[in-house]
Amino acid sequence: MTKHEIADVLNEIALLLELKGENPFKIRAYQSGARVIESLEQPELERLLAANELLTVKGIGEALAKKIAELHTTGKLEFLEKLRATIAPGLVELLQIPGVGPKKIKVLHEQLGVVDIASLAAACADGRVAALAGFGAKTQEKIVAGIKNREAYGRRHLWWEAWQVAQPIVAGLRALPQVKRAEAAGSLRRGLETVGDLDFIVSATEIEPVVSWFVGLSDVQEVTARGETKTSVRFVTGLQADLRLVPDEQFIFALHHFTGSKDHNVQMRQRALARGLTLSEWGLEPVTAATSESSASPSSSLTAAAGAGEAAAPRARRPKRAGAPADAASGDPARGSVATEADLFARLGLHFIPPELREGMGEIEAAEHGELPTLVDLPDLRGTFHCHTTASDGRNTLAEMATAAASAGWEYLGIADHSKSSFQANGLTEQRLLEQVEAIRVFNASGRCRTHVFAGTECDILPDGRLDFDEALLRKLDYVVASVHSTFALDEAAMTARIIRAIEHPCTTMLGHLTGRLLLRRDGYRVDAGKIIDAAIAHGVIIEINAAPKRLDMDWRHWRKATARGLLTSINPDAHETAELAYVRAGINTARKGWLTKAQVFNTRSLAEVKAAFLARRRAG
Ligand code: DGT
Ligand code: CA
Ligand code: CA
Ligand code: ZN
């Protein structure tokens, strides 16, 4: 078992004990035990287990050591299984509602008989929650809003999670002997922060084996449609997926159409019409008497094509399309066949538009005039900032994080653990931060790792806009990420002033997660993004793209305008363990959707350039 798996078990025990209202000391023993295990490096943990020496580790008592040994040898823990059986599973689910912690759940369960979200909603509806001591009308309101959000958001999925599901499916489809081409389209391909459903486009020589493979995937819970051209499934996670099979000569048209967005498609279709062509998921053809009638209203005919008609086999509806070459204007020597999306755009007089830009927000005009930017991409990144370690709430040590950054090929890694006011995240005191700075100096000097580590902090922005550490201490660091982690309920003007004050601090290098939003869970606090962007530009402060898939904050919709005015960003994973360094991939989506080039992303710079920039800032400040 890895140290993370063991720590997960200990944390789950702590949580279940808390739901039961057990002795706080016992609960804390499991929580701190989990932290101690994570602060060990994996080989050291294995050595201790093999030598039966766990008890020698500070913070691991007899009871814990026994349980960890049982987990290690059997992969199971009887104690946990018994504990789970004593708690209604619906109670654990309640934890997903913001503002409802184990203590509140225990009271709700004991006093109101709440066992799941439905019974909690009912208790709120007749005011019984507000009447409980320690709750009140405000708390009840918050719970009701949380339950509503959960319902409204429940149908969508984080891009990252959808991508984890989609990647192996695309690879599996491509490996089938009958498949010629396969892609994931839709919002996933456009890199949208959340995804409603997956859309796979496949061309194949034979249909049946491909459909059988798809519906036979191990996570498929239900097959919701099975036709000749479209098959839909729902996975156990609730995520749904459409598989569309098309003749190979239609592949590019289907891929473009089902990549969307709808707004982009409508504009593309209008552009085609203006040139006497009709564009659809089946092809690009001259407008004929028959098609011109239905294309009088481009968006409604598209709706019909993608909506009611799609299950009913488009090839049957349009018998001539399937066999005929997709290139209707093949007589024109200037117009070759459409083998790629670039060909399709070229046929309409456009440069290739990357999927992330296809939101109907000016990309077609820019593509017409050759004004699309060369978008930043993953290989451009040479390091990253804003990463946590076991010193605060991370799950890997400094050395483990740096080693992982080195295997990613990065030249540098910025550590930014929490500051003292974030006690819930085990924030560092002045003393502990100074020790960490020293540890980083020693680590860099040791030559253990070819990735340079920058010493930073994710410093809390206090309610009045001051930073959580003194200027003298902040000056000892390479860089400072300033973030809001508390007092979210300020009005927009006060929150904006608070953040601008932090931006004005001479030591602030970057602003962390602008709004604090948690996608599909809670909206961000209200801020005037325009004013904050102006202040950041004026003070040479970077606004991060927090690439944690649940944040993706600042939102892509702000970036194009902000960078045009001179704002710089850094794509930061907010990684709490080595595997989360890969989150920068989600941040790249945000950057690309915001039209950003390499030059606008700070962590595409070389180590020498970053060092020079930090030095220059410190001199200026
Ligand atoms: P999602 O799944 O809600 O995250 O978003 P999408 O963009 O993946 O939407 P989806 O799965 O409903 O459809 C995939 C694409 O198919 C969509 O981006 C554009 C195209 N499409 C679907 N319905 C329509 C429509 O009514 N009109 C037009 N023009 N295109 C459509
Ligand atoms: Ca979709
Ligand atoms: Ca779909
Ligand atoms: Zn943070």
Side-chain angles (χ1 to χ4, degrees), residues 401-424:
M401 293 297 281
T403 307
S407 7
W410 284 343
E411 295 171 28
Y412 50 88
L413 178 75
I415 298 300
D417 271 313
H418 287 285
S419 63
K420 62 179 189 244
S421 291
S422 274
F423 45 83
Q424 76 292 343

Side-chain angles (χ1 to χ4, degrees), residues 197-199 230 242 244:
D197 71 354
L198 301 177
D199 303 276
K230 182 184 167 193
D242 295 336
R244 289 186 167 82

Side-chain angles (χ1 to χ4, degrees), residues 356 374-382 410 571 584-585 587-589 591-592 596-599 601 603-604:
E356 295 90 338
T374 302
L375 300 178
V376 64
D377 209 347
L378 193 59
D380 294 329
L381 300 187
R382 297 171 80 160
W410 284 343
I571 299 177
V584 291
R585 174 67 181 77
I588 286 282
N589 287 342
R592 289 172 65 89
L596 301 199
T597 64
K598 186 177 159 181
V601 179
N603 53 324
T604 63

Side-chain angles (χ1 to χ4, degrees), residues 21 61 202 256 258 313 370 437 494 518 556 601 618:
V202 174
H256 176 267
F258 290 109
V437 172
L518 293 178
W556 61 268
V601 179
R618 220 169 313 152

Side-chain angles (χ1 to χ4, degrees), residues 367-437:
E368 174 169 15
H369 299 118
E371 287 166 359
L372 288 174
T374 302
L375 300 178
V376 64
D377 209 347
L378 193 59
D380 294 329
L381 300 187
R382 297 171 80 160
T384 197
F385 300 95
H386 193 170
C387 294
H388 298 271
T389 72
T390 45
S392 68
D393 60 348
R395 309 181 74 193
N396 284 103
T397 63
L398 172 66
E400 287 171 335
M401 293 297 281
T403 307
S407 7
W410 284 343
E411 295 171 28
Y412 50 88
L413 178 75
I415 298 300
D417 271 313
H418 287 285
S419 63
K420 62 179 189 244
S421 291
S422 274
F423 45 83
Q424 76 292 343
N426 189 29
L428 274 59
T429 58
E430 281 84 356
Q431 184 53 39
R432 287 174 59 220
L433 179 56
L434 285 170
E435 283 164 19
Q436 187 184 52
V437 172

